[in-house]
Amino acid sequence: MSTLEIRGLTVTVDVEGGVKEILRGVDLTVRSGETHAIMGPNGSGKSTLAYSIAGHPKYTVTGGTVTLDGEDVLAMSVDERARAGVFLAMQYPVEVPGVTVSNFLRTAKTAVDGQAPKLRTWVKDVKEAMGALRMDPAFAERNVNEGFSGGEKKRHEILQMELLKPRIAVLDETDSGLDVDALRVVSEGVNRVKENTDVGVLLITHYTRILRYIKPDYVHVFVDGRIVEEGGPELADRLEAEGYDRYVGAQA
């Protein structure tokens, strides 16, 4: 069992004209086997939360704590966070020219586990995971995300999650840019990882459509850098019907 605990997290970012506060005191706990959906309007700070957990240098943590099983995540480098079991599926996966998917995945697995996986077992695991995600085996020899469609990039993110087996997975708008079929395949991949590894999932999204496939245990409404309401799956249904106006109006 693992626990990611966030307490009083405040984060700023440098913008043209000065420093802007994005997160204004976030409290959140994600445990193994739980799925937490973070929903909110554009610009509310959802992605900032994801990248702050992962250690993106653009964001400056000015207060609060983030711990994983009692260990100080904020004191760790980005690679140390990954080895500790924190995984980030990016909203906009980057291209890595000159590095094939197969080399990238095996190098990442070796770095996270501290030893290289046995080749025969590894090749079998990669083929099975790619097959389940309906990825052409030829993708293994293509450069990471180079020339990939939006759906192919997101499938590759979930392929990494399935093979690296993190303790806590932060999925930053994994549903953006996906058609209905790709959304279903990606969601099935997340559910499969949850069933096989008991990973804790922090799912960031604008829309409820992905929650039809990935059922959240908890829903948190994020507005203006804060969590303004929390509830169960029924809260997502209300947001689908009513939108965020009541929260945005209250903040204003």
Side-chain angles (χ1 to χ4, degrees), residues 9-15 18-24 26 43-64 66 73-78 81 88 90-92 170 172-173 204 222 225:
L9 187 65
T10 57
V11 172
T12 62
V13 63
D14 290 330
V15 296
V19 175
K20 181 178 181 180
E21 187 177 41
I22 306 294
L23 301 186
R24 305 167 184 268
V26 176
S44 58
K46 303 185 303 298
S47 292
T48 296
L49 176 63
Y51 286 111
S52 298
I53 294 170
H56 195 298
K58 174 182 175 181
Y59 302 97
T60 302
V61 175
T62 54
V66 180
V73 171
L74 300 179
M76 301 177 187
S77 61
V78 173
R81 297 181 199 206
L88 172 66
M90 293 183 284
Q91 181 179 359
Y92 303 109
V170 182
D172 185 22
E173 299 197 28
I204 294 170
F222 215 74

Side-chain angles (χ1 to χ4, degrees), residues 35-241:
T35 297
H36 292 250
I38 295 231
M39 304 186 69
N42 281 325
S44 58
K46 303 185 303 298
S47 292
T48 296
L49 176 63
Y51 286 111
S52 298
I53 294 170
H56 195 298
K58 174 182 175 181
Y59 302 97
T60 302
V61 175
T62 54
T65 60
V66 180
T67 60
L68 179 60
D69 298 335
E71 296 293 323
D72 184 0
V73 171
L74 300 179
M76 301 177 187
S77 61
V78 173
D79 60 303
E80 288 171 340
R81 297 181 199 206
R83 283 197 295 271
V86 177
F87 174 82
L88 172 66
M90 293 183 284
Q91 181 179 359
Y92 303 109
V94 297
E95 296 183 1
V96 187
V99 179
T100 64
V101 167
S102 60
N103 283 340
F104 171 78
L105 291 172
R106 194 157 193 263
T107 300
K109 183 66 172 176
T110 301
V112 167
D113 288 358
Q115 60 182 5
K118 293 181 180 178
L119 191 56
R120 183 178 297 178
T121 305
W122 175 249
V123 170
K124 175 176 173 288
D125 289 346
V126 172
K127 284 184 177 178
E128 286 181 354
M130 292 184 72
L133 287 164
R134 302 179 198 173
M135 296 179 71
D136 187 329
F139 273 87
E141 299 312 314
R142 291 177 60 181
N143 291 337
V144 174
N145 292 324
E146 196 170 45
F148 286 22
S149 68
E152 289 164 348
K153 289 180 179 179
K154 296 303 177 73
R155 291 180 201 217
H156 182 223
E157 294 287 287
I158 304 308
L159 176 65
Q160 295 169 47
M161 178 182 169
E162 188 153 3
L163 294 169
L164 297 179
K165 297 178 171 57
R167 297 187 201 177
I168 302 292
V170 182
L171 310 182
D172 185 22
E173 299 197 28
T174 298
D175 52 341
S176 65
L178 298 183
D179 61 27
V180 173
D181 290 334
L183 177 63
R184 184 180 295 109
V185 170
V186 164
S187 299
E188 288 171 353
V190 174
N191 290 331
R192 189 166 52 250
V193 176
K194 279 200 65 185
E195 291 168 6
N196 293 333
T197 67
D198 206 31
V199 63
V201 174
L202 183 59
L203 175 62
I204 294 170
T205 182
H206 287 297
Y207 307 109
T208 59
R209 64 178 192 151
I210 194 171
L211 303 183
R212 297 169 193 161
Y213 303 103
I214 302 173
K215 300 299 183 183
D217 300 296
Y218 306 94
V219 175
H220 311 269
V221 183
F222 215 74
V223 175
D224 196 27
R226 298 184 182 91
I227 294 173
V228 296
E229 187 169 358
E230 298 174 304
E234 72 285 347
L235 179 53
D237 295 334
R238 198 178 82 201
L239 292 172
E240 173 81 358

